[in-house]
């Protein structure tokens, strides 16, 4: 079985493994596929300090705000060009009733967040606040509708309230609430994790529910819906098969996939986000690479029913999930963010980019203060994590033309187990510049990558690198710049080839002019 998994990982990335510290890379110019910017999406659930205390802060907090939206957070996310933001969940979505979050805030009913800590929510952050946030961010909203405890009419009304440009009781209500013009929200998730917290449904039952809900979620002028069906949990291939067969490609824009990288592989004790050694690091990277197998196998099933690849694979929950930081609320899912997390992010994004013919959208879990966060806040303080900087380095791929790669790479071995040490993405932007992003997972060895370009002319190379002394190094409020991208001088032109000296445990971004 292990040999088969290694084969799938190798075949999917166009890789071949051999035991040495050099690699060869060929970049071709024969693809018409585009790496969708929506692969770089983010997730903001009503969970812990993700919304309240993250995006939405107390009016007395001494930071720049628009209403109660924190603007230093907004500006940091604008810098990395996040393309979409998924809300309100997650498991929270299937207990959320949108009417509770509109209208005058003092009149909004309070609710219990039964999934995450049992805290009371005052619903001061609702639909209008979320869409104002998306406008400030310059990103598209992605709304997850309530299928688990909601109704068909509830979702239908929400779509009409946001998207109908005409006269109706719901549009009159929207006008009363300060927004006469429609919001034109295109991305809609029809339920979340319906196999679990969203209803514990069978795929057959969910498929029927999806068809019913989707039938009454209407397209209005300038707002054709991109409906995303709840897809499988990790390796539940039967769920994908059933949904593709029973829903059919013509009824959905996308099918979701959720997969979290657990350092231990054990949900009851996932491992620490800060105190870990090489064994936990190696196992985390090994588990991260399972994303390649999942995307490959689910895509193959989708190809049976949708050979033209019209349905997007939407990996709208992914990232590292560890034990919470000691002393914090276990329901708030707060963890730190290390160089290991950055290497997981880089590797996962490379996998998505290399499957851009099918993977059209994704969302890291989560944006602020929860799980593998881009940003951590503490009252007025704000901290950018190593994962944030990976998204900053990788933004060059957004909407760029994918360039196929063939990589012969060495293996990183630990206690008799092996994984491929290097992974890579190549693309060409609208200005003709070629970008490479590489991750070296080997904790010890520099790897020399000799790169050949097919039908691609270039003259000069510049780059940035993200690395640190230890894989468990983190940024803190006291030392916020331990892990930041720095100028990379380890790439040079030798004849027609590019030679890259990839440092151990590092992410590198290169631009060829």
């Amino acid at each position: 079985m292990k040999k088969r998994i290694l084969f799938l990982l190798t075949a999917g990335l166009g890789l071949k493994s051999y035991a040495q510290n050099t690699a060869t890379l060929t970049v071709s110019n024969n693809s018409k596929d585009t790496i969708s910017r929506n692969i770089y999406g983010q997730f903001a659930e009503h969970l812990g300090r993700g919304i309240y205390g993250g995006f939405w802060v107390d009016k007395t907090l001494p930071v720049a705000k628009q209403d109660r939206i924190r603007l230093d957070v907004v500006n940091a996310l604008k810098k990395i060009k996040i393309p979409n933001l998924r809300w309100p969940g997650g498991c929270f979505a299937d207990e959320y009733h949108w009417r509770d979050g509109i209208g005058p805030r003092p009149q909004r009913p309070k609710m219990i967040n039964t999934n995450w800590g049992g805290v009371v929510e005052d619903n001061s952050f609702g639909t209008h606040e979320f869409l104002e946030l998306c406008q400030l961010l310059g990103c598209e909203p992605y709304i997850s509708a309530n299928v688990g405890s909601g109704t068909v009419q509830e979702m239908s009304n929400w779509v009409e309230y946001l998207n109908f440009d005409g006269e109706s009781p719901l549009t009159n209500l929207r006008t009363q609430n300060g927004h006469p013009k429609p919001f034109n929200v295109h991305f809609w998730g029809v339920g979340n994790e319906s196999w679990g917290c969203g209803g514990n449904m069978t795929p057959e039952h969910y498929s029927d529910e999806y068809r019913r809900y989707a039938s009454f979620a209407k397209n209005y002028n300038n707002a054709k819906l991109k409906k995303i069906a709840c897809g499988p949990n990790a390796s539940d291939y039967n769920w994908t098969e059933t949904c593709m067969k029973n829903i059919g490609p013509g009824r959905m824009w996308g099918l979701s996939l959720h997969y979290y990288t657990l350092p231990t592989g054990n949900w009851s004790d996932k491992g620490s986000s800060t105190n870990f050694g090489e064994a936990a690091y190696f196992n985390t990277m090994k588990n991260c690479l399972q994303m390649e197998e999942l995307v490959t196998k689910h895509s193959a099933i989708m190809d049976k029913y949708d050979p033209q690849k019209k349905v997007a694979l939407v990996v709208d929950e992914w990232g590292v999930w560890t034990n919470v930081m000691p002393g914090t609320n276990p329901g708030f899912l707060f963890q730190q963010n290390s160089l290991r997390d950055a290497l997981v992010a880089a590797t996962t994004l490379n996998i998505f980019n290399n499957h851009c013919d099918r993977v059209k959208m994704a969302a890291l879990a989560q944006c602020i203060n929860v799980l593998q966060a881009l940003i951590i806040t503490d009252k007025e303080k704000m901290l950018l994590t190593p994962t944030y900087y990976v998204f900053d380095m990788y933004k060059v791929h957004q909407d760029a033309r994918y360039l196929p790669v063939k990589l012969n790479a060495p293996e990183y071995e630990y206690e008799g187990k092996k994984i491929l040490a290097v992974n890579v993405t190549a693309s060409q932007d609208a200005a003709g510049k070629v970008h490479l992003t590489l991750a070296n997972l080997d904790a010890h060895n520099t790897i020399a990558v000799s790169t050949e370009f097919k039908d691609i002319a270039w003259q000069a190379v510049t780059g940035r690198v993200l690395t640190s002394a230890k894989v468990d190094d983190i940024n803190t409020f006291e030392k916020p710049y331990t892990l930041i991208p720095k100028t990379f001088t380890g790439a040079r032109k030798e004849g027609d080839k590019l030679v890259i000296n990839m440092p151990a445990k590092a992410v590198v971004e290169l631009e060829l002019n």
Side-chain angles (χ1 to χ4, degrees), residues 62-120:
V63 296
K65 300 179 291 293
Q66 180 160 315
D67 194 353
R68 288 170 55 188
I69 296 172
R70 185 170 177 157
L71 293 180
D72 55 353
V73 166
V74 167
N75 291 332
L77 295 174
K78 285 177 68 176
K79 182 177 183 295
I80 61 173
K81 299 180 179 180
I82 72 164
N84 63 75
L85 186 63
R86 181 173 179 247
W87 174 86
C91 293
F92 181 82
D94 283 288
E95 65 177 3
Y96 181 70
H97 301 283
W98 67 271
R99 283 178 176 268
D100 294 342
I102 61 172
R105 290 174 196 153
Q107 298 175 20
R108 297 180 188 179
K110 294 180 171 61
M111 66 175 289
I112 301 173
N113 189 335
T114 64
N115 284 288
W116 306 118
V119 297
V120 175

Side-chain angles (χ1 to χ4, degrees), residues 198-218:
N200 288 299
M201 302 178 195
T202 64
E204 291 80 9
H205 180 70
Y206 172 74
S207 296
D208 289 341
E209 287 291 277
Y210 174 91
R211 289 169 64 134
R212 192 164 67 99
Y213 274 75
S215 294
F216 291 92
K218 304 293 186 180

Side-chain angles (χ1 to χ4, degrees), residues 401-475:
R401 184 170 64 90
Y402 171 66
L403 300 177
V405 297
K406 182 178 180 182
L407 176 64
N408 297 322
E411 292 174 324
Y412 165 36
E413 182 175 356
Y414 182 80
E415 294 187 344
K417 298 178 181 179
K418 299 177 181 179
I419 59 173
L420 295 167
V422 179
N423 54 81
V424 60
T425 295
S427 70
Q428 187 172 38
D429 66 17
K433 296 178 181 178
V434 172
H435 294 101
L436 301 178
T437 53
L438 306 97
N440 180 6
L441 309 185
D442 193 310
H444 307 288
N445 296 307
T446 297
I447 297 174
V449 183
S450 177
T451 309
E452 180 182 0
F453 295 89
K454 299 287 189 180
D455 301 319
I456 300 171
W458 65 283
Q459 298 298 325
V461 58
T462 57
R464 294 189 292 170
V465 61
L466 181 70
T467 189
S468 192
K470 299 182 295 181
V471 290
D472 60 351
D473 280 344
I474 61 175
N475 290 337

